[in-house]
Amino acid sequence: MTRSLSPGRFARLLDTHGPRPERWPAAMRPAAAALLAGSPAARARLAEAQRLDAGLAAALPHPAPEAVARLRAAVAREIARTPLPAPATPWARLLDRLRPAAPAGWGALAALATCALWLGFSAAPAVGDPLAPLQTLPILEDPL
């Protein structure tokens, strides 16, 4: 079952997709054809859009076929001359696999490793009572 198409939606269809029915969405083509068969205003709007499309096509400059052929040949020569990428070395493949481990970059990973080594090899402070510094603080004017 096809839905009917209002003249306003048909105008938007023409503005969006142009006057050529092959460019219209396939689901809207039957409704547009039914509207065109029954509405002289829709046919007039389509004819106006076709005239505008033809005028725009005529006003645009068309490149010379020889220039297009030369351009295509030059692009084909450049593609043929471009060397293929070199296969990845084992070192490059290893770095590619390790890249997710350093999302902020290798410098950030090196800084993190340096901090971890520094904290790991530094002498640990003597562990006594961890609450000793708090015992000298007066809390609500009541010394502990």
Side-chain angles (χ1 to χ4, degrees), residues 17-140:
H17 299 285
R20 294 175 42 194
E22 62 270 11
R23 291 186 178 174
W24 299 347
M28 296 184 82
R29 288 180 198 160
L35 179 68
L36 285 169
S39 171
R43 286 192 297 274
R45 189 173 294 249
L46 177 64
E48 179 184 342
Q50 288 169 339
R51 281 192 304 275
L52 176 65
D53 200 39
L56 287 173
L60 291 175
H62 296 287
E66 304 83 31
V68 173
R70 282 194 313 270
L71 180 63
R72 286 184 177 166
V75 169
R77 275 193 310 273
E78 192 62 32
I79 290 172
R81 265 191 283 202
T82 304
L84 293 174
T89 63
W91 182 249
R93 284 195 304 267
L94 176 65
L95 287 178
D96 284 342
R97 288 188 181 149
L98 292 177
R99 193 171 317 276
W106 293 108
L109 187 63
L112 179 68
T114 303
C115 290
L117 286 172
W118 178 55
L119 290 173
F121 289 125
S122 64
V127 178
D129 185 13
L131 299 177
L134 297 176
Q135 292 177 354
T136 60
L137 296 174
I139 298 176
L140 295 174

